[in-house]
Amino acid sequence: MMKNNDWTREEFLAYVLLYAAHCDYFEDSAELNFILSKVDDKTFHRIHTEVVVDSEDQKLDKIQQYVSENNLSQSEKDAIIRDIKNVFFADGTVDIFEKNLFAMLKKIIG
């Protein structure tokens, strides 16, 4: 399994967005299509497997570690937050799991 400090920015984005789509254990096709518009197919499938097998704690730890070890600009952080929001709204509804995760990721990513 890949360590997150080896991730490219695209792999990190794929991980965060797939985690967002997977947080309610149901990945809507609109959510997946949005993610595929942001990352290539190969990255999507490789990272998807990682998201599915990681525990909630591992997911949050990996995201937090990546953010702390990589110098993301505020505009990059804002774009990631915007993309997360777009994943949540892709299927037309936002449930409590998605709202809670959005608040957590917004705090971690900044």
Side-chain angles (χ1 to χ4, degrees), residues 14-48:
Y15 191 87
V16 171
L17 297 182
L18 282 163
Y19 177 29
H22 191 73
C23 79
D24 56 2
Y25 304 102
F26 176 76
E27 297 166 344
D28 183 86
S29 62
E31 294 170 336
L32 299 179
N33 287 335
F34 175 78
I35 297 167
L36 282 165
S37 77
K38 295 289 181 176
V39 302
D40 68 72
D41 199 50
K42 186 178 176 186
T43 301
F44 175 92
H45 291 290
R46 187 177 65 252
I47 298 295
H48 185 271

PDB file of all heavy atoms in Angstrom, residues 14-48:
ATOM      1  N   ALA A  14      -7.580  12.686  -5.402  1.00  0.00           N
ATOM      2  CA  ALA A  14      -8.400  11.492  -5.613  1.00  0.00           C
ATOM      3  C   ALA A  14      -8.786  10.863  -4.275  1.00  0.00           C
ATOM      4  O   ALA A  14      -9.949  10.481  -4.069  1.00  0.00           O
ATOM      5  CB  ALA A  14      -7.651  10.477  -6.480  1.00  0.00           C
ATOM      6  N   TYR A  15      -7.836  10.761  -3.359  1.00  0.00           N
ATOM      7  CA  TYR A  15      -8.095  10.146  -2.057  1.00  0.00           C
ATOM      8  C   TYR A  15      -9.151  10.940  -1.285  1.00  0.00           C
ATOM      9  O   TYR A  15     -10.127  10.375  -0.781  1.00  0.00           O
ATOM     10  CB  TYR A  15      -6.796  10.053  -1.241  1.00  0.00           C
ATOM     11  CG  TYR A  15      -6.923   9.193  -0.013  1.00  0.00           C
ATOM     12  CD1 TYR A  15      -6.712   7.817  -0.079  1.00  0.00           C
ATOM     13  CD2 TYR A  15      -7.264   9.738   1.225  1.00  0.00           C
ATOM     14  CE1 TYR A  15      -6.837   7.014   1.053  1.00  0.00           C
ATOM     15  CE2 TYR A  15      -7.394   8.944   2.351  1.00  0.00           C
ATOM     16  CZ  TYR A  15      -7.180   7.585   2.256  1.00  0.00           C
ATOM     17  OH  TYR A  15      -7.310   6.785   3.371  1.00  0.00           O
ATOM     18  N   VAL A  16      -8.980  12.243  -1.214  1.00  0.00           N
ATOM     19  CA  VAL A  16      -9.924  13.088  -0.470  1.00  0.00           C
ATOM     20  C   VAL A  16     -11.313  13.021  -1.093  1.00  0.00           C
ATOM     21  O   VAL A  16     -12.313  12.855  -0.383  1.00  0.00           O
ATOM     22  CB  VAL A  16      -9.419  14.550  -0.405  1.00  0.00           C
ATOM     23  CG1 VAL A  16     -10.478  15.476   0.157  1.00  0.00           C
ATOM     24  CG2 VAL A  16      -8.151  14.640   0.417  1.00  0.00           C
ATOM     25  N   LEU A  17     -11.388  13.124  -2.402  1.00  0.00           N
ATOM     26  CA  LEU A  17     -12.699  13.122  -3.056  1.00  0.00           C
ATOM     27  C   LEU A  17     -13.373  11.760  -2.987  1.00  0.00           C
ATOM     28  O   LEU A  17     -14.593  11.674  -2.781  1.00  0.00           O
ATOM     29  CB  LEU A  17     -12.565  13.591  -4.505  1.00  0.00           C
ATOM     30  CG  LEU A  17     -12.067  15.028  -4.691  1.00  0.00           C
ATOM     31  CD1 LEU A  17     -12.026  15.386  -6.175  1.00  0.00           C
ATOM     32  CD2 LEU A  17     -12.896  16.029  -3.906  1.00  0.00           C
ATOM     33  N   LEU A  18     -12.597  10.694  -3.134  1.00  0.00           N
ATOM     34  CA  LEU A  18     -13.183   9.358  -2.998  1.00  0.00           C
ATOM     35  C   LEU A  18     -13.629   9.088  -1.564  1.00  0.00           C
ATOM     36  O   LEU A  18     -14.663   8.460  -1.336  1.00  0.00           O
ATOM     37  CB  LEU A  18     -12.200   8.289  -3.481  1.00  0.00           C
ATOM     38  CG  LEU A  18     -12.129   8.174  -4.999  1.00  0.00           C
ATOM     39  CD1 LEU A  18     -10.879   7.426  -5.431  1.00  0.00           C
ATOM     40  CD2 LEU A  18     -13.384   7.487  -5.537  1.00  0.00           C
ATOM     41  N   TYR A  19     -12.874   9.579  -0.607  1.00  0.00           N
ATOM     42  CA  TYR A  19     -13.289   9.461   0.800  1.00  0.00           C
ATOM     43  C   TYR A  19     -14.609  10.195   1.004  1.00  0.00           C
ATOM     44  O   TYR A  19     -15.538   9.675   1.631  1.00  0.00           O
ATOM     45  CB  TYR A  19     -12.193  10.020   1.699  1.00  0.00           C
ATOM     46  CG  TYR A  19     -12.506  10.025   3.181  1.00  0.00           C
ATOM     47  CD1 TYR A  19     -13.352   9.081   3.764  1.00  0.00           C
ATOM     48  CD2 TYR A  19     -11.930  10.971   4.020  1.00  0.00           C
ATOM     49  CE1 TYR A  19     -13.613   9.085   5.124  1.00  0.00           C
ATOM     50  CE2 TYR A  19     -12.173  10.978   5.384  1.00  0.00           C
ATOM     51  CZ  TYR A  19     -13.028  10.041   5.927  1.00  0.00           C
ATOM     52  OH  TYR A  19     -13.280  10.052   7.275  1.00  0.00           O
ATOM     53  N   ALA A  20     -14.713  11.381   0.445  1.00  0.00           N
ATOM     54  CA  ALA A  20     -15.957  12.149   0.559  1.00  0.00           C
ATOM     55  C   ALA A  20     -17.122  11.380  -0.065  1.00  0.00           C
ATOM     56  O   ALA A  20     -18.196  11.272   0.535  1.00  0.00           O
ATOM     57  CB  ALA A  20     -15.788  13.509  -0.108  1.00  0.00           C
ATOM     58  N   ALA A  21     -16.905  10.813  -1.239  1.00  0.00           N
ATOM     59  CA  ALA A  21     -17.975  10.068  -1.916  1.00  0.00           C
ATOM     60  C   ALA A  21     -18.355   8.805  -1.160  1.00  0.00           C
ATOM     61  O   ALA A  21     -19.511   8.389  -1.169  1.00  0.00           O
ATOM     62  CB  ALA A  21     -17.538   9.710  -3.340  1.00  0.00           C
ATOM     63  N   HIS A  22     -17.379   8.212  -0.492  1.00  0.00           N
ATOM     64  CA  HIS A  22     -17.577   6.930   0.181  1.00  0.00           C
ATOM     65  C   HIS A  22     -18.052   7.071   1.627  1.00  0.00           C
ATOM     66  O   HIS A  22     -18.421   6.088   2.260  1.00  0.00           O
ATOM     67  CB  HIS A  22     -16.257   6.140   0.134  1.00  0.00           C
ATOM     68  CG  HIS A  22     -16.365   4.719   0.556  1.00  0.00           C
ATOM     69  ND1 HIS A  22     -16.962   3.756  -0.233  1.00  0.00           N
ATOM     70  CD2 HIS A  22     -15.962   4.079   1.673  1.00  0.00           C
ATOM     71  CE1 HIS A  22     -16.922   2.593   0.401  1.00  0.00           C
ATOM     72  NE2 HIS A  22     -16.317   2.765   1.548  1.00  0.00           N
ATOM     73  N   CYS A  23     -18.094   8.283   2.156  1.00  0.00           N
ATOM     74  CA  CYS A  23     -18.358   8.467   3.597  1.00  0.00           C
ATOM     75  C   CYS A  23     -19.709   7.933   4.045  1.00  0.00           C
ATOM     76  O   CYS A  23     -19.859   7.542   5.195  1.00  0.00           O
ATOM     77  CB  CYS A  23     -18.172   9.917   4.021  1.00  0.00           C
ATOM     78  SG  CYS A  23     -19.532  11.007   3.630  1.00  0.00           S
ATOM     79  N   ASP A  24     -20.684   7.911   3.151  1.00  0.00           N
ATOM     80  CA  ASP A  24     -21.996   7.362   3.518  1.00  0.00           C
ATOM     81  C   ASP A  24     -22.160   5.931   3.000  1.00  0.00           C
ATOM     82  O   ASP A  24     -23.257   5.396   2.975  1.00  0.00           O
ATOM     83  CB  ASP A  24     -23.130   8.262   3.012  1.00  0.00           C
ATOM     84  CG  ASP A  24     -23.087   8.506   1.521  1.00  0.00           C
ATOM     85  OD1 ASP A  24     -22.197   7.957   0.833  1.00  0.00           O
ATOM     86  OD2 ASP A  24     -23.948   9.252   1.032  1.00  0.00           O
ATOM     87  N   TYR A  25     -21.036   5.323   2.589  1.00  0.00           N
ATOM     88  CA  TYR A  25     -20.977   3.937   2.117  1.00  0.00           C
ATOM     89  C   TYR A  25     -21.800   3.698   0.865  1.00  0.00           C
ATOM     90  O   TYR A  25     -22.120   2.578   0.518  1.00  0.00           O
ATOM     91  CB  TYR A  25     -21.358   2.951   3.227  1.00  0.00           C
ATOM     92  CG  TYR A  25     -20.492   3.132   4.436  1.00  0.00           C
ATOM     93  CD1 TYR A  25     -20.963   3.811   5.551  1.00  0.00           C
ATOM     94  CD2 TYR A  25     -19.176   2.682   4.448  1.00  0.00           C
ATOM     95  CE1 TYR A  25     -20.140   4.012   6.651  1.00  0.00           C
ATOM     96  CE2 TYR A  25     -18.357   2.890   5.538  1.00  0.00           C
ATOM     97  CZ  TYR A  25     -18.846   3.552   6.635  1.00  0.00           C
ATOM     98  OH  TYR A  25     -18.041   3.769   7.708  1.00  0.00           O
ATOM     99  N   PHE A  26     -22.145   4.778   0.182  1.00  0.00           N
ATOM    100  CA  PHE A  26     -22.842   4.669  -1.091  1.00  0.00           C
ATOM    101  C   PHE A  26     -22.232   5.690  -2.034  1.00  0.00           C
ATOM    102  O   PHE A  26     -22.265   6.883  -1.758  1.00  0.00           O
ATOM    103  CB  PHE A  26     -24.345   4.947  -0.929  1.00  0.00           C
ATOM    104  CG  PHE A  26     -25.079   4.930  -2.237  1.00  0.00           C
ATOM    105  CD1 PHE A  26     -25.367   3.730  -2.863  1.00  0.00           C
ATOM    106  CD2 PHE A  26     -25.457   6.111  -2.843  1.00  0.00           C
ATOM    107  CE1 PHE A  26     -26.031   3.719  -4.085  1.00  0.00           C
ATOM    108  CE2 PHE A  26     -26.119   6.102  -4.063  1.00  0.00           C
ATOM    109  CZ  PHE A  26     -26.405   4.905  -4.674  1.00  0.00           C
ATOM    110  N   GLU A  27     -21.642   5.201  -3.103  1.00  0.00           N
ATOM    111  CA  GLU A  27     -21.022   6.085  -4.079  1.00  0.00           C
ATOM    112  C   GLU A  27     -21.975   6.251  -5.261  1.00  0.00           C
ATOM    113  O   GLU A  27     -22.176   5.326  -6.039  1.00  0.00           O
ATOM    114  CB  GLU A  27     -19.685   5.508  -4.541  1.00  0.00           C
ATOM    115  CG  GLU A  27     -18.685   5.405  -3.425  1.00  0.00           C
ATOM    116  CD  GLU A  27     -17.498   4.540  -3.799  1.00  0.00           C
ATOM    117  OE1 GLU A  27     -17.567   3.784  -4.781  1.00  0.00           O
ATOM    118  OE2 GLU A  27     -16.487   4.623  -3.086  1.00  0.00           O
ATOM    119  N   ASP A  28     -22.552   7.396  -5.368  1.00  0.00           N
ATOM    120  CA  ASP A  28     -23.474   7.718  -6.441  1.00  0.00           C
ATOM    121  C   ASP A  28     -22.688   7.911  -7.743  1.00  0.00           C
ATOM    122  O   ASP A  28     -21.563   8.402  -7.727  1.00  0.00           O
ATOM    123  CB  ASP A  28     -24.210   9.005  -6.057  1.00  0.00           C
ATOM    124  CG  ASP A  28     -25.245   9.400  -7.070  1.00  0.00           C
ATOM    125  OD1 ASP A  28     -26.376   8.913  -6.976  1.00  0.00           O
ATOM    126  OD2 ASP A  28     -24.900  10.199  -7.965  1.00  0.00           O
ATOM    127  N   SER A  29     -23.269   7.538  -8.866  1.00  0.00           N
ATOM    128  CA  SER A  29     -22.561   7.669 -10.147  1.00  0.00           C
ATOM    129  C   SER A  29     -22.236   9.130 -10.452  1.00  0.00           C
ATOM    130  O   SER A  29     -21.197   9.417 -11.055  1.00  0.00           O
ATOM    131  CB  SER A  29     -23.365   7.039 -11.281  1.00  0.00           C
ATOM    132  OG  SER A  29     -24.602   7.694 -11.444  1.00  0.00           O
ATOM    133  N   ALA A  30     -23.084  10.067 -10.029  1.00  0.00           N
ATOM    134  CA  ALA A  30     -22.792  11.489 -10.254  1.00  0.00           C
ATOM    135  C   ALA A  30     -21.539  11.907  -9.472  1.00  0.00           C
ATOM    136  O   ALA A  30     -20.722  12.682  -9.972  1.00  0.00           O
ATOM    137  CB  ALA A  30     -23.984  12.348  -9.846  1.00  0.00           C
ATOM    138  N   GLU A  31     -21.393  11.384  -8.262  1.00  0.00           N
ATOM    139  CA  GLU A  31     -20.196  11.678  -7.456  1.00  0.00           C
ATOM    140  C   GLU A  31     -18.952  11.115  -8.146  1.00  0.00           C
ATOM    141  O   GLU A  31     -17.937  11.807  -8.266  1.00  0.00           O
ATOM    142  CB  GLU A  31     -20.326  11.071  -6.060  1.00  0.00           C
ATOM    143  CG  GLU A  31     -21.418  11.687  -5.206  1.00  0.00           C
ATOM    144  CD  GLU A  31     -21.686  10.918  -3.919  1.00  0.00           C
ATOM    145  OE1 GLU A  31     -21.405   9.707  -3.854  1.00  0.00           O
ATOM    146  OE2 GLU A  31     -22.184  11.546  -2.981  1.00  0.00           O
ATOM    147  N   LEU A  32     -19.040   9.873  -8.579  1.00  0.00           N
ATOM    148  CA  LEU A  32     -17.893   9.227  -9.223  1.00  0.00           C
ATOM    149  C   LEU A  32     -17.534   9.906 -10.540  1.00  0.00           C
ATOM    150  O   LEU A  32     -16.354  10.085 -10.847  1.00  0.00           O
ATOM    151  CB  LEU A  32     -18.168   7.739  -9.428  1.00  0.00           C
ATOM    152  CG  LEU A  32     -18.413   6.937  -8.141  1.00  0.00           C
ATOM    153  CD1 LEU A  32     -18.690   5.481  -8.461  1.00  0.00           C
ATOM    154  CD2 LEU A  32     -17.247   7.062  -7.173  1.00  0.00           C
ATOM    155  N   ASN A  33     -18.538  10.315 -11.291  1.00  0.00           N
ATOM    156  CA  ASN A  33     -18.275  11.021 -12.553  1.00  0.00           C
ATOM    157  C   ASN A  33     -17.582  12.348 -12.309  1.00  0.00           C
ATOM    158  O   ASN A  33     -16.683  12.742 -13.063  1.00  0.00           O
ATOM    159  CB  ASN A  33     -19.563  11.228 -13.347  1.00  0.00           C
ATOM    160  CG  ASN A  33     -20.068   9.944 -13.960  1.00  0.00           C
ATOM    161  OD1 ASN A  33     -19.306   9.017 -14.211  1.00  0.00           O
ATOM    162  ND2 ASN A  33     -21.366   9.876 -14.190  1.00  0.00           N
ATOM    163  N   PHE A  34     -17.978  13.059 -11.244  1.00  0.00           N
ATOM    164  CA  PHE A  34     -17.307  14.313 -10.915  1.00  0.00           C
ATOM    165  C   PHE A  34     -15.837  14.048 -10.591  1.00  0.00           C
ATOM    166  O   PHE A  34     -14.955  14.756 -11.072  1.00  0.00           O
ATOM    167  CB  PHE A  34     -17.984  15.031  -9.735  1.00  0.00           C
ATOM    168  CG  PHE A  34     -17.233  16.255  -9.317  1.00  0.00           C
ATOM    169  CD1 PHE A  34     -17.332  17.429 -10.040  1.00  0.00           C
ATOM    170  CD2 PHE A  34     -16.370  16.217  -8.228  1.00  0.00           C
ATOM    171  CE1 PHE A  34     -16.594  18.559  -9.684  1.00  0.00           C
ATOM    172  CE2 PHE A  34     -15.627  17.332  -7.851  1.00  0.00           C
ATOM    173  CZ  PHE A  34     -15.750  18.514  -8.589  1.00  0.00           C
ATOM    174  N   ILE A  35     -15.581  13.026  -9.787  1.00  0.00           N
ATOM    175  CA  ILE A  35     -14.197  12.700  -9.407  1.00  0.00           C
ATOM    176  C   ILE A  35     -13.388  12.333 -10.647  1.00  0.00           C
ATOM    177  O   ILE A  35     -12.243  12.778 -10.809  1.00  0.00           O
ATOM    178  CB  ILE A  35     -14.158  11.578  -8.354  1.00  0.00           C
ATOM    179  CG1 ILE A  35     -14.840  12.050  -7.062  1.00  0.00           C
ATOM    180  CG2 ILE A  35     -12.718  11.158  -8.066  1.00  0.00           C
ATOM    181  CD1 ILE A  35     -15.136  10.949  -6.067  1.00  0.00           C
ATOM    182  N   LEU A  36     -13.974  11.555 -11.542  1.00  0.00           N
ATOM    183  CA  LEU A  36     -13.284  11.175 -12.776  1.00  0.00           C
ATOM    184  C   LEU A  36     -13.013  12.374 -13.684  1.00  0.00           C
ATOM    185  O   LEU A  36     -12.121  12.326 -14.527  1.00  0.00           O
ATOM    186  CB  LEU A  36     -14.068  10.094 -13.519  1.00  0.00           C
ATOM    187  CG  LEU A  36     -13.907   8.692 -12.937  1.00  0.00           C
ATOM    188  CD1 LEU A  36     -14.980   7.748 -13.479  1.00  0.00           C
ATOM    189  CD2 LEU A  36     -12.515   8.143 -13.227  1.00  0.00           C
ATOM    190  N   SER A  37     -13.760  13.456 -13.492  1.00  0.00           N
ATOM    191  CA  SER A  37     -13.483  14.676 -14.264  1.00  0.00           C
ATOM    192  C   SER A  37     -12.269  15.412 -13.701  1.00  0.00           C
ATOM    193  O   SER A  37     -11.712  16.293 -14.354  1.00  0.00           O
ATOM    194  CB  SER A  37     -14.707  15.601 -14.267  1.00  0.00           C
ATOM    195  OG  SER A  37     -14.831  16.287 -13.034  1.00  0.00           O
ATOM    196  N   LYS A  38     -11.843  15.037 -12.488  1.00  0.00           N
ATOM    197  CA  LYS A  38     -10.724  15.704 -11.810  1.00  0.00           C
ATOM    198  C   LYS A  38      -9.429  14.906 -11.842  1.00  0.00           C
ATOM    199  O   LYS A  38      -8.354  15.477 -11.733  1.00  0.00           O
ATOM    200  CB  LYS A  38     -11.086  15.981 -10.342  1.00  0.00           C
ATOM    201  CG  LYS A  38     -12.222  16.953 -10.158  1.00  0.00           C
ATOM    202  CD  LYS A  38     -11.747  18.320 -10.526  1.00  0.00           C
ATOM    203  CE  LYS A  38     -12.792  19.374 -10.353  1.00  0.00           C
ATOM    204  NZ  LYS A  38     -12.258  20.706 -10.629  1.00  0.00           N
ATOM    205  N   VAL A  39      -9.538  13.577 -11.918  1.00  0.00           N
ATOM    206  CA  VAL A  39      -8.343  12.716 -11.888  1.00  0.00           C
ATOM    207  C   VAL A  39      -8.437  11.669 -12.991  1.00  0.00           C
ATOM    208  O   VAL A  39      -9.527  11.329 -13.438  1.00  0.00           O
ATOM    209  CB  VAL A  39      -8.159  12.017 -10.511  1.00  0.00           C
ATOM    210  CG1 VAL A  39      -8.058  13.038  -9.384  1.00  0.00           C
ATOM    211  CG2 VAL A  39      -9.277  11.043 -10.223  1.00  0.00           C
ATOM    212  N   ASP A  40      -7.274  11.160 -13.407  1.00  0.00           N
ATOM    213  CA  ASP A  40      -7.289  10.158 -14.478  1.00  0.00           C
ATOM    214  C   ASP A  40      -7.807   8.816 -13.955  1.00  0.00           C
ATOM    215  O   ASP A  40      -7.813   8.545 -12.761  1.00  0.00           O
ATOM    216  CB  ASP A  40      -5.914  10.029 -15.142  1.00  0.00           C
ATOM    217  CG  ASP A  40      -4.873   9.435 -14.214  1.00  0.00           C
ATOM    218  OD1 ASP A  40      -4.941   8.218 -13.940  1.00  0.00           O
ATOM    219  OD2 ASP A  40      -3.985  10.182 -13.763  1.00  0.00           O
ATOM    220  N   ASP A  41      -8.223   7.996 -14.905  1.00  0.00           N
ATOM    221  CA  ASP A  41      -8.849   6.710 -14.610  1.00  0.00           C
ATOM    222  C   ASP A  41      -7.946   5.782 -13.787  1.00  0.00           C
ATOM    223  O   ASP A  41      -8.402   5.149 -12.835  1.00  0.00           O
ATOM    224  CB  ASP A  41      -9.227   6.041 -15.942  1.00  0.00           C
ATOM    225  CG  ASP A  41     -10.266   4.967 -15.775  1.00  0.00           C
ATOM    226  OD1 ASP A  41     -11.295   5.238 -15.137  1.00  0.00           O
ATOM    227  OD2 ASP A  41     -10.031   3.848 -16.271  1.00  0.00           O
ATOM    228  N   LYS A  42      -6.681   5.703 -14.148  1.00  0.00           N
ATOM    229  CA  LYS A  42      -5.742   4.815 -13.457  1.00  0.00           C
ATOM    230  C   LYS A  42      -5.576   5.234 -11.993  1.00  0.00           C
ATOM    231  O   LYS A  42      -5.628   4.387 -11.087  1.00  0.00           O
ATOM    232  CB  LYS A  42      -4.393   4.854 -14.182  1.00  0.00           C
ATOM    233  CG  LYS A  42      -3.370   3.880 -13.649  1.00  0.00           C
ATOM    234  CD  LYS A  42      -2.089   3.956 -14.467  1.00  0.00           C
ATOM    235  CE  LYS A  42      -1.033   3.056 -13.881  1.00  0.00           C
ATOM    236  NZ  LYS A  42       0.254   3.204 -14.553  1.00  0.00           N
ATOM    237  N   THR A  43      -5.394   6.524 -11.762  1.00  0.00           N
ATOM    238  CA  THR A  43      -5.267   7.045 -10.393  1.00  0.00           C
ATOM    239  C   THR A  43      -6.550   6.777  -9.612  1.00  0.00           C
ATOM    240  O   THR A  43      -6.504   6.334  -8.471  1.00  0.00           O
ATOM    241  CB  THR A  43      -4.968   8.559 -10.414  1.00  0.00           C
ATOM    242  OG1 THR A  43      -3.757   8.772 -11.138  1.00  0.00           O
ATOM    243  CG2 THR A  43      -4.845   9.128  -9.019  1.00  0.00           C
ATOM    244  N   PHE A  44      -7.681   7.038 -10.238  1.00  0.00           N
ATOM    245  CA  PHE A  44      -8.980   6.822  -9.608  1.00  0.00           C
ATOM    246  C   PHE A  44      -9.090   5.396  -9.071  1.00  0.00           C
ATOM    247  O   PHE A  44      -9.402   5.194  -7.899  1.00  0.00           O
ATOM    248  CB  PHE A  44     -10.096   7.097 -10.627  1.00  0.00           C
ATOM    249  CG  PHE A  44     -11.473   6.801 -10.121  1.00  0.00           C
ATOM    250  CD1 PHE A  44     -12.234   7.787  -9.521  1.00  0.00           C
ATOM    251  CD2 PHE A  44     -12.025   5.530 -10.253  1.00  0.00           C
ATOM    252  CE1 PHE A  44     -13.519   7.514  -9.054  1.00  0.00           C
ATOM    253  CE2 PHE A  44     -13.301   5.243  -9.788  1.00  0.00           C
ATOM    254  CZ  PHE A  44     -14.041   6.242  -9.189  1.00  0.00           C
ATOM    255  N   HIS A  45      -8.821   4.415  -9.911  1.00  0.00           N
ATOM    256  CA  HIS A  45      -9.007   3.015  -9.512  1.00  0.00           C
ATOM    257  C   HIS A  45      -7.995   2.570  -8.447  1.00  0.00           C
ATOM    258  O   HIS A  45      -8.354   1.852  -7.514  1.00  0.00           O
ATOM    259  CB  HIS A  45      -8.990   2.090 -10.731  1.00  0.00           C
ATOM    260  CG  HIS A  45     -10.202   2.279 -11.584  1.00  0.00           C
ATOM    261  ND1 HIS A  45     -11.465   1.895 -11.190  1.00  0.00           N
ATOM    262  CD2 HIS A  45     -10.357   2.857 -12.792  1.00  0.00           C
ATOM    263  CE1 HIS A  45     -12.344   2.220 -12.117  1.00  0.00           C
ATOM    264  NE2 HIS A  45     -11.704   2.812 -13.103  1.00  0.00           N
ATOM    265  N   ARG A  46      -6.763   3.012  -8.581  1.00  0.00           N
ATOM    266  CA  ARG A  46      -5.740   2.642  -7.600  1.00  0.00           C
ATOM    267  C   ARG A  46      -6.069   3.237  -6.223  1.00  0.00           C
ATOM    268  O   ARG A  46      -6.023   2.547  -5.209  1.00  0.00           O
ATOM    269  CB  ARG A  46      -4.362   3.098  -8.087  1.00  0.00           C
ATOM    270  CG  ARG A  46      -3.227   2.617  -7.207  1.00  0.00           C
ATOM    271  CD  ARG A  46      -1.860   3.010  -7.742  1.00  0.00           C
ATOM    272  NE  ARG A  46      -1.670   4.450  -7.732  1.00  0.00           N
ATOM    273  CZ  ARG A  46      -1.650   5.238  -8.812  1.00  0.00           C
ATOM    274  NH1 ARG A  46      -1.792   4.743 -10.011  1.00  0.00           N
ATOM    275  NH2 ARG A  46      -1.476   6.531  -8.698  1.00  0.00           N
ATOM    276  N   ILE A  47      -6.432   4.502  -6.209  1.00  0.00           N
ATOM    277  CA  ILE A  47      -6.726   5.184  -4.947  1.00  0.00           C
ATOM    278  C   ILE A  47      -8.061   4.704  -4.372  1.00  0.00           C
ATOM    279  O   ILE A  47      -8.214   4.605  -3.153  1.00  0.00           O
ATOM    280  CB  ILE A  47      -6.707   6.719  -5.138  1.00  0.00           C
ATOM    281  CG1 ILE A  47      -5.308   7.186  -5.589  1.00  0.00           C
ATOM    282  CG2 ILE A  47      -7.148   7.430  -3.876  1.00  0.00           C
ATOM    283  CD1 ILE A  47      -4.194   6.973  -4.585  1.00  0.00           C
ATOM    284  N   HIS A  48      -9.010   4.370  -5.227  1.00  0.00           N
ATOM    285  CA  HIS A  48     -10.316   3.885  -4.752  1.00  0.00           C
ATOM    286  C   HIS A  48     -10.135   2.660  -3.858  1.00  0.00           C
ATOM    287  O   HIS A  48     -10.748   2.563  -2.789  1.00  0.00           O
ATOM    288  CB  HIS A  48     -11.224   3.563  -5.936  1.00  0.00           C
ATOM    289  CG  HIS A  48     -12.599   3.175  -5.535  1.00  0.00           C
ATOM    290  ND1 HIS A  48     -12.955   1.874  -5.263  1.00  0.00           N
ATOM    291  CD2 HIS A  48     -13.707   3.924  -5.337  1.00  0.00           C
ATOM    292  CE1 HIS A  48     -14.226   1.835  -4.928  1.00  0.00           C
ATOM    293  NE2 HIS A  48     -14.712   3.061  -4.965  1.00  0.00           N
TER     294      HIS A  48
END
